[in-house]
């Protein structure tokens, strides 16, 4: 507390000292510039009065050549406080008197007709003509009186006055500092020390409602008193806020605990819902694959039914012909014409059986490869062009019902070591989407084109159709699961989502889709070429 009081008094006194010093400096400067012209006028008046009185005496003494009178008059002039040197000489170089600072000078001053004042930087020179009036005759110039005055003398007088003023000012400032220091200590420092002590004691026991009072400050109505009463009011408000804060903190902890429990329950429910949703999504994707495979089985079964029916009919016809030719042979009625007709029938039936069975075999073979690839989850080496042809063949029952043709322009020398089933699923979904959305379930005429570009480490496959296309809004959500524009017709919204997931994860590639209304769709697939590793080969 004492340190605070001393620091306050010291600072206050320092400010007072600086202010007094600045005021003193300004006062001395003003005093200098006000005294200087006054002393200059005093000096000029004194010198001019001395010259006016003594010049005629010196002139008459010089005219009568009274050397003793000249010296007494010159010494009388020199006794002036502002005059430092006197010189008297005639114009015939018969008499030359130099006193004071001019005693060593050898300058010969010429004759002048009137008083001349020469002001230089450090001195002032007065030149006075010594004139003698003759009775009834003209005035005679008998010589020249020169008076020398230094400016330093004037400055010394000013500095002497300033020293006295400075001494008086220092005494006054010291007395003022002592007086102000005592007043500050009793009026400001001590009350502030009491307030500081009061604040310190009450802040140490801020939780207590019992606040000590300072009797010396209770009755004050000045700024110190207002500060004291304001602190007491703020202290009471702080205690009230502290009690409210404790109450609110307790309520907040209860609310946070309740919200935490609710969030924990909600989070658990969300996790369970997400898990169920993921399971449902996997099941729907699997169902989509099985539905695609079922549609493939149904189409292939329908297609195979026709050639097999023809083969069965041909077989039955051949059996009847064999039965008839056998009866003729048993009854010895076999003729050459009968035998020739039988052989012709056998040849035609054999050709019909061969064509229809080959057709059924090709369909079954294509179905077998595609179905096995979709059902399995293994990598294998396959020709991109040839495997695409087999996929298109497996989809021929669906394509034959539509007005859409597929042009397979893929390069025939591209071979991939990858998941053939995943590629089959991707291409099947793309063709199915084009037929349903782009060509209104195959009712519109159009074409689907497949092209490719081979690179060293990857190949690019471009799938295009010239169907109805789609808007930018639809294109933005095309890969989102369960997003479909044909929900009313039974669309699941998983077709393009499966395409995206299979290409980016299973086939380790990238996919980009572009489309606009009336301009079809363009799907660009970039698939990495993976190094073929035969079974049983050693690898790191």
């Amino acid at each position: 507390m004492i340190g605070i009081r001393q620091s306050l008094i010291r600072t206050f006194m320092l400010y007072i000292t600086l202010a007094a010093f600045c005021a003193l400096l300004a006062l001395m400067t003003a005093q200098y510039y006000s005294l200087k012209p006054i002393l200059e006028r005093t000096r000029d008046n004194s010198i001019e009065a001395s010259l006016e009185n003594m010049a005629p005496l010196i002139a008459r003494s010089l005219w009568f050549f009274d050397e003793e009178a000249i010296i007494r008059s010159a010494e009388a002039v020199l006794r002036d406080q502002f005059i430092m040197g006197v010189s008297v000489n005639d114009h015939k170089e018969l008499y030359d008197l130099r006193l004071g600072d001019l005693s060593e000078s050898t300058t010969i001053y010429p004759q002048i007709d009137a008083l001349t004042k020469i002001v230089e930087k450090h001195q002032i020179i007065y030149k006075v003509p010594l004139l003698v009036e003759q009775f009834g005759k003209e005035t005679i110039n008998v010589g020249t009186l020169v008076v020398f005055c230094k400016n330093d003398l004037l400055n010394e007088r000013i500095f002497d006055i300033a020293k006295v003023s400075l001494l008086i000012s220092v005494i006054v400032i010291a007395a003022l500092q002592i007086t102000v220091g005592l007043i500050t200590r009793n009026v400001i420092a001590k009350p502030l020390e009491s307030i500081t002590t009061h604040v310190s004691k009450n802040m140490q026991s801020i939780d207590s409602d019992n606040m000590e009072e300072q009797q010396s400050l209770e009755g004050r109505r000045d700024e110190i008193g207002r500060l004291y009463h304001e602190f007491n009011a703020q202290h009471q408000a702080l205690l009230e806020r502290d009690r409210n804060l404790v109450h609110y903190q307790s309520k907040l902890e209860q609310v946070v605990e309740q919200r935490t429990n609710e969030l924990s329950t909600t989070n658990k429910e969300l996790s369970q819902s997400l898990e169920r949703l993921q399971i449902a999504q996997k099941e729907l994707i699997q169902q989509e694959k099985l539905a695609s495979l079922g549609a493939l089985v149904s189409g292939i079964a329908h297609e195979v039914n026709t050639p097999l029916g023809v083969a069965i009919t041909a077989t039955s016809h051949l059996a009847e012909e064999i039965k008839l030719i056998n009866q003729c042979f048993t009854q010895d009625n076999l003729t050459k014409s009968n035998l020739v007709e039988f052989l012709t029938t056998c040849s035609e039936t054999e050709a019909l059986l061969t064509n229809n069975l080959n057709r059924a075999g090709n369909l079954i073979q294509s179905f077998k490869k595609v179905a096995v690839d979709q059902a399995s989850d293994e990598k294998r080496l396959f020709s991109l062009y040839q495997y695409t042809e087999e996929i298109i063949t497996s989809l021929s029952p669906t394509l034959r019902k539509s007005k859409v043709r597929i042009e397979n322009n893929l390069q025939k020398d591209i071979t991939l070591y990858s998941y053939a089933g995943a590629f089959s699923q991707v291409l099947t979904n793309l063709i199915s989407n084009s037929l349903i959305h782009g060509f209104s379930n195959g009712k519109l005429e159009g074409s689907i084109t497949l092209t490719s570009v081979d690179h060293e480490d990857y190949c690019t496959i471009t799938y295009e159709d010239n169907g109805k296309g789609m808007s930018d809004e639809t294109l933005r959500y095309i890969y989102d699961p369960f997003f479909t524009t044909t929900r009313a017709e039974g669309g699941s919204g998983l077709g393009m989502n499966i395409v995206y997931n299979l290409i980016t994860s299973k086939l380790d590639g990238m996919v980009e889709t572009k489309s606009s209304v009336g301009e079809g769709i363009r799907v660009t697939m970039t698939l990495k070429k993976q190094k073929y590793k035969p079974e049983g080969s050693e690898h790191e």
Side-chain angles (χ1 to χ4, degrees):
M1 306 305 173
I2 296 176
I4 294 176
R5 184 182 64 195
Q6 290 179 348
S7 176
L8 178 63
I9 296 175
R10 189 183 302 113
T11 304
F12 190 60
M13 297 303 295
L14 177 62
Y15 287 154
I16 292 177
T17 303
L18 291 176
F21 176 76
C22 294
L24 180 61
L25 183 62
L27 177 64
M28 292 183 64
T29 303
Q31 189 179 41
Y32 173 79
Y33 284 104
S34 62
L35 283 176
K36 187 174 182 181
I38 295 174
L39 291 177
E40 286 178 348
R41 287 195 300 270
T42 302
R43 178 196 62 192
D44 293 341
N45 293 335
S46 176
I47 293 175
E48 290 173 1
S50 179
L51 292 177
E52 184 179 357
N53 294 327
M54 301 306 298
L57 294 176
I58 295 174
R60 284 194 298 272
S61 298
L62 184 61
W63 171 253
F64 292 107
F65 202 75
D66 187 350
E67 184 176 358
E68 184 177 352
I70 294 171
I71 294 173
R72 286 197 305 270
S73 299
E75 288 178 347
V77 172
L78 188 61
R79 280 195 293 271
D80 189 286
Q81 60 180 342
F82 297 105
I83 297 175
M84 306 301 295
V86 178
S87 171
V88 179
N89 64 280
D90 62 356
H91 301 309
K92 297 180 180 180
E93 299 183 1
L94 297 177
Y95 186 81
D96 187 6
L97 174 65
R98 299 177 186 274
L99 300 175
D101 289 349
L102 295 179
S103 59
E104 303 296 330
S105 175
T106 59
T107 303
I108 302 299
Y109 298 99
Q111 180 179 342
I112 57 175
D113 296 328
L115 186 146
T116 303
K117 181 179 180 182
I118 301 173
V119 180
E120 296 179 354
K121 183 176 181 180
H122 299 291
Q123 62 186 7
I124 299 176
I125 299 175
Y126 288 87
K127 296 180 181 180
V128 183
L130 297 176
L131 303 177
V132 177
E133 294 182 1
Q134 297 279 336
F135 292 104
K137 296 182 180 181
E138 61 183 358
T139 301
I140 300 174
N141 191 333
V142 296
T144 301
L145 171 64
V146 178
V147 174
F148 171 73
C149 178
K150 287 185 178 180
N151 287 331
D152 292 342
L153 182 62
L154 185 65
N155 292 331
E156 289 177 1
R157 295 292 301 275
I158 295 175
F159 288 147
D160 290 340
I161 295 174
K163 288 178 183 178
V164 175
S165 300
L166 179 61
L167 179 61
I168 295 173
S169 299
V170 169
I171 295 172
V172 171
I173 290 173
L176 180 64
Q177 282 186 324
I178 295 172
T179 303
V180 171
L182 293 174
I183 294 174
T184 303
R185 182 175 180 275
N186 293 320
V187 176
I188 298 177
K190 281 188 175 181
L192 284 180
E193 181 181 354
S194 299
I195 290 179
T196 305
T197 304
H198 177 69
V199 170
S200 178
K201 288 182 179 180
N202 287 282
M203 291 304 294
Q204 290 176 0
S205 57
I206 192 170
D207 295 334
S208 176
D209 293 338
N210 299 323
M211 184 173 62
E212 297 183 6
E213 296 182 354
Q214 292 287 337
Q215 297 298 329
S216 60
L217 300 175
E218 283 291 333
R220 296 190 64 140
R221 294 294 179 264
D222 56 5
E223 288 79 0
I224 301 295
R226 287 197 294 271
L227 179 61
Y228 169 74
H229 294 295
E230 183 64 24
F231 168 75
N232 291 340
Q234 292 295 329
H235 183 266
Q236 293 298 329
L238 185 60
L239 290 175
E240 184 65 25
R241 283 197 296 268
D242 186 67
R243 285 191 290 268
N244 293 335
L245 183 61
V246 172
H247 176 68
Y248 292 145
Q249 182 179 3
S250 177
K251 290 186 63 176
L252 181 61
E253 289 176 353
Q254 295 176 2
V255 172
V256 169
E257 184 178 0
Q258 180 181 356
R259 294 290 187 272
T260 302
N261 294 332
E262 293 176 356
L263 287 174
S264 177
T265 304
T266 304
N267 186 43
K268 185 177 180 180
E269 293 175 353
L270 288 175
S271 299
Q272 294 174 354
S273 299
L274 179 60
E275 184 178 355
R276 288 194 296 269
L277 184 61
Q278 290 174 345
I279 293 173
Q281 183 178 1
K282 290 180 181 179
E283 291 177 353
L284 285 173
I285 292 174
Q286 188 64 26
Q287 290 176 7
E288 187 78 10
K289 290 182 179 180
L290 293 176
S292 175
L293 186 59
L296 181 63
V297 170
S298 177
I300 291 296
H302 179 75
E303 286 296 310
V304 170
N305 186 54
T306 300
L308 288 180
V310 173
I312 292 172
T313 303
T315 303
S316 300
H317 177 67
L318 183 59
E320 289 294 329
E321 291 296 326
I322 292 174
K323 183 179 180 181
L324 292 175
I325 198 67
N326 189 29
Q327 289 178 355
C328 290
F329 177 74
T330 303
Q331 298 174 2
D332 293 331
N333 292 332
L334 183 61
T335 62
K336 182 179 180 180
S337 59
N338 291 335
L339 183 59
V340 171
E341 183 180 357
F342 174 73
L343 292 176
T344 301
T345 300
C346 288
S347 178
E348 292 175 353
T349 303
E350 182 273 334
L352 184 62
L353 284 171
T354 301
N355 290 335
N356 281 277
L357 290 176
N358 284 338
R359 181 183 172 190
N362 291 333
L363 286 172
I364 293 173
Q365 187 67 24
S366 298
F367 166 74
K368 178 182 177 182
K369 289 183 179 180
V370 174
V372 169
D373 285 335
Q374 288 191 7
S376 65
D377 192 23
E378 296 180 358
K379 286 185 178 180
R380 71 177 181 88
L381 190 67
F382 61 92
S383 168
L384 182 63
Y385 173 83
Q386 186 62 39
Y387 191 60
T388 301
E389 280 293 316
E390 293 174 355
I391 296 172
I392 295 172
T393 301
S394 68
L395 295 174
S396 58
T398 303
L399 295 172
R400 191 174 293 112
K401 297 176 184 178
S402 69
K403 300 178 181 180
V404 181
R405 67 181 185 279
I406 298 181
E407 298 179 8
N408 183 7
N409 296 328
L410 298 174
Q411 294 171 259
K412 297 183 179 181
D413 57 345
I414 298 178
T415 302
L416 295 178
Y417 177 68
S418 186
Y419 295 95
F423 178 76
S424 170
Q425 185 70 48
V426 167
L427 193 55
T428 300
N429 284 11
L430 290 176
I431 294 174
S432 177
N433 270 4
S434 292
L435 292 176
I436 296 173
H437 302 285
F439 300 105
S440 300
N441 291 315
K443 297 176 182 178
L444 302 178
E445 292 186 3
S447 62
I448 297 172
T449 305
L450 291 165
T451 58
S452 62
V453 178
D454 192 19
H455 299 277
E456 183 178 357
D457 298 325
Y458 64 94
C459 68
T460 302
I461 303 172
T462 303
Y463 174 94
E464 295 179 277
D465 70 31
N466 58 356
K468 294 187 296 184
M470 66 185 74
S471 64
D472 293 340
E473 185 71 18
T474 302
L475 183 62
R476 188 182 307 168
Y477 301 104
I478 191 172
Y479 297 129
D480 289 357
F482 310 111
F483 174 77
T484 179
T485 57
T486 58
R487 183 78 65 188
E489 289 82 14
S492 65
L494 291 173
M496 289 303 292
N497 177 257
I498 293 174
V499 168
Y500 178 81
N501 287 330
L502 289 177
I503 292 176
T504 56
S505 59
K506 204 74 173 179
L507 300 177
D508 193 19
M510 297 183 295
V511 60
E512 180 184 13
T513 303
K514 295 182 179 179
S515 180
S516 57
V517 177
E519 296 185 3
I521 190 172
R522 178 188 180 93
V523 181
T524 303
M525 298 169 281
T526 303
L527 306 180
K528 288 186 179 180
K529 289 183 176 180
Q530 300 184 19
K531 188 176 180 181
Y532 174 58
K533 298 177 181 179
E535 293 185 4
S537 62
E538 294 182 359
H539 57 84
E540 294 181 359

